[in-house]
Each structure stands twice: as C-alpha cells, then as structure tokens.
Amino acid sequence: QMRLEESGGGSVQAGGFLRLSCTVSGDTYSEYCMAWFRQTPGKERERVATIDSSGGTMYADSVKGRFTISQDSAKKLWLQMNNLKPEDAAIYYCAAEGPKIYFCSRDTAPRLFDYWGQGTQVTVSS
C-alpha cells in the first residue's frame, strides 16, 4: 500500500516557475514507476513525466526542457516547472505503478497506475 499527497500548486504568471512535491508514505521500499499527470476539464489525463527506481526519466514533448522530475532519498517526488505557459494550467497528480515495476513504460495507460494523490491546482496567467 502507498499513499501519495501533492503540494506546491498555485498561481503564477507565464514565464514563472513552481515546484510541486508529492509525499510518499506506506510502501517506500519496493520498486515503482512514479509519475506526474495533469488534467484539465473535458480532457483526458495527460502524462507529464515519469521516473523509475533507477532514476530513469521520461517527459511529454510539451514539457521537455522546462520540467524536471526527481525523487529524493526519502522517496519524495518532485516536479520542477520552469518557464510555465498558460497551457500548463491543470490539476497535477502524482501517481505510482507497482510494486515490482523496475522501469516506466511510455505506453502505460493512466488507469493502470495503482496509486494516486488528490491533485494540486496549477494556474498560469498570460
């Protein structure tokens, strides 16, 4: 079992930055694919970035070069978001697929992720 809780959302102007965090509790010893997703009303949940237990990362094309996913020694998940654009506005969720998932797959559908946080709102004004 794992519990996820996001924080760090807020409102910024375009070009600004935010740093989201996701506190991970429960099973922090097993291997998981950790991910950040985002969702806006009427749209499907979009994968933003993933990180696996060996530190391998993947990003959506729309955020490459601007967002950085990381996980610290306490298993806390981070998403550094720089040069934010109005189209980045969404509710951001952290998610975990596992245990015993050693590598993330770009093709894994959101519904296959096993654990989700409650989400944190990011608003970007132009």
Side-chain angles (χ1 to χ4, degrees), residues 7-54:
S7 62
S11 297
V12 296
Q13 289 190 327
F17 65 92
L18 283 173
R19 193 182 192 199
L20 305 183
S21 65
C22 175
T23 300
V24 180
S25 58
D27 180 9
T28 60
Y29 298 98
S30 301
E31 289 71 25
Y32 288 82
C33 170
M34 302 299 297
W36 287 98
F37 287 82
R38 64 187 181 188
Q39 190 169 24
T40 54
K43 291 190 176 181
E44 293 186 357
R45 197 161 290 193
E46 175 192 17
R47 183 200 314 261
V48 175
T50 60
I51 186 167
D52 60 37
S53 58
S54 63

Side-chain angles (χ1 to χ4, degrees), residues 25 30 33 57 61 68 83-84 90 93 116:
S25 58
S30 301
C33 170
T57 58
D61 288 343
T68 303
N83 190 21
L84 281 160
Y93 300 89
W116 291 86

Side-chain angles (χ1 to χ4, degrees), residues 105-125:
S105 169
R106 193 178 295 275
D107 299 325
T108 304
R111 62 181 174 83
L112 296 179
F113 277 75
D114 301 280
Y115 302 99
W116 291 86
Q118 82 288 349
T120 186
Q121 179 74 52
V122 171
T123 303
V124 184
S125 57

Side-chain angles (χ1 to χ4, degrees), residues 13 15 18 38 59 63 67 75 104 109:
Q13 289 190 327
L18 283 173
R38 64 187 181 188
Y59 296 91
V63 306
F67 290 13
K75 300 293 185 179
C104 298

